[in-house]
């Protein structure tokens, strides 16, 4: 009886491990494809992104962070987005998000 239980236990563990490995491989491939498309869609340099951001909000650039945006519904539209923090003349902090694919801008006020 113990041998039967061990036999099934090994099969169950093997199946669970196999499914987990396959899930990780598929998820990694999907993420990798999105990253590949984002690199192809990267049309602006960080210097150009800074210029675009300061055209929208006048001030001193404090920081620039590049983020990967995975588009689940249209993988080919995955992109990098830059988050630019700008200190204005009146000491306010504004965050400007700039798409490296299209150059479109979204300005957020951090109060």
């Amino acid at each position: 009886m113990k041998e039967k239980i061990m036999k099934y236990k090994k099969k169950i563990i093997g199946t669970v491990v196999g499914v987990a490995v396959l899930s990780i491989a598929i998820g990694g491939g999907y993420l990798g494809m999105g990253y590949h498309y984002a690199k192809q869609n990267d049309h602006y340099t960080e210097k150009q992104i800074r210029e675009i951001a300061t055209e929208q909000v006048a001030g001193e650039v404090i920081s620039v962070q590049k983020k990967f945006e995975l588009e689940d519904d249209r993988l080919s539209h995955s992109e990098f987005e830059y988050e630019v923090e700008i200190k204005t003349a009146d000491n306010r902090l504004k965050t400007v998000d700039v798409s490296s694919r299209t150059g479109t801008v979204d300005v957020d006020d951090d109060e």
Side-chain angles (χ1 to χ4, degrees):
M1 181 75 165
K2 232 179 184 183
E3 291 174 9
K4 259 188 172 178
I5 292 173
M6 288 303 287
K7 182 180 173 185
Y8 288 118
K9 189 176 181 180
K10 286 180 182 178
K11 283 185 178 182
I12 291 171
I13 290 172
T15 302
V16 168
V17 168
V19 168
V21 168
L22 185 60
S23 298
I24 290 170
I26 290 171
Y30 186 76
L31 186 63
M33 285 180 59
Y35 190 82
H36 170 75
Y37 283 120
K39 285 184 78 166
Q40 286 183 331
N41 292 333
D42 198 6
H43 301 301
Y44 295 93
T45 65
E46 184 176 324
K47 182 180 177 186
Q48 291 170 318
I49 294 293
R50 285 173 177 262
E51 291 171 0
I52 291 170
T54 53
E55 286 174 4
Q56 297 297 313
V57 176
E60 175 188 354
V61 174
I62 302 298
S63 71
V64 179
Q65 287 185 321
K66 187 176 185 179
K67 298 179 179 180
F68 172 57
E69 297 288 326
L70 179 66
E71 295 293 332
D72 290 332
D73 54 341
R74 294 190 69 185
L75 199 58
S76 63
H77 283 195
S78 295
E79 65 183 0
F80 290 109
E81 185 175 274
Y82 287 87
E83 183 179 279
V84 183
E85 290 185 339
I86 299 175
K87 180 179 162 188
T88 63
D90 58 351
N91 281 335
R92 293 179 60 205
L93 185 64
K94 297 211 180 218
T95 303
V96 180
D97 295 323
V98 184
S99 166
S100 69
R101 180 171 62 88
T102 62
T104 56
V105 176
D106 182 33
V107 179
D108 293 327
D109 289 330
D110 291 343
E111 305 258 357

